[in-house]
Amino acid sequence: CNCVVLNVRKHNWTTLPDAIQEMNALKVMQINHGPLGVIPDGLDKKFRKVSLLDLSYNELTEVPESLGNMKMNKLKLTDNNLS
């Protein structure tokens, strides 16, 4: 679906599935409590409408610089492996 809200908890994704990258109407993206370790570069171009991005409680070690180009109101990255 081309949903407005995506809320995925306790997942087994290490990367974002291709199907999510086609959901360009998303305004809220919450993907928590799993082994997500990689965020692809270019999210700012694919998800222009996202106002809340919550990727907390995953295994991210870095985030792409392009995340800074997103016009979101809230970004949550707590409890990852970021330094």
Side-chain angles (χ1 to χ4, degrees), residues 71-82:
K71 296 179 176 151
M72 63 188 116
N73 295 325
K74 190 177 271 190
L75 172 64
K76 291 183 176 184
L77 296 170
T78 57
D79 289 300
N80 277 284
N81 296 324
L82 299 169

Side-chain angles (χ1 to χ4, degrees), residues 4-67:
V4 175
V5 175
L6 175 67
N7 188 351
V8 180
R9 291 188 66 138
K10 297 184 180 177
H11 61 87
N12 63 354
W13 302 337
T14 55
T15 61
L16 293 179
D18 291 338
I20 288 178
Q21 301 203 26
E22 296 173 15
M23 301 173 78
N24 58 8
L26 282 176
K27 292 185 179 181
V28 174
M29 184 188 303
Q30 296 173 291
I31 302 172
N32 313 108
H33 298 276
L36 186 66
V38 177
I39 305 244
D41 197 19
L43 285 185
D44 58 322
K45 293 177 177 46
K46 293 177 184 168
F47 300 108
R48 296 179 191 266
K49 298 177 183 177
V50 169
S51 63
L52 167 64
L53 179 60
D54 182 356
L55 301 172
S56 56
Y57 298 94
N58 282 291
E59 296 180 11
L60 296 172
T61 56
E62 62 183 21
V63 293
E65 214 172 291
S66 60
L67 237 58

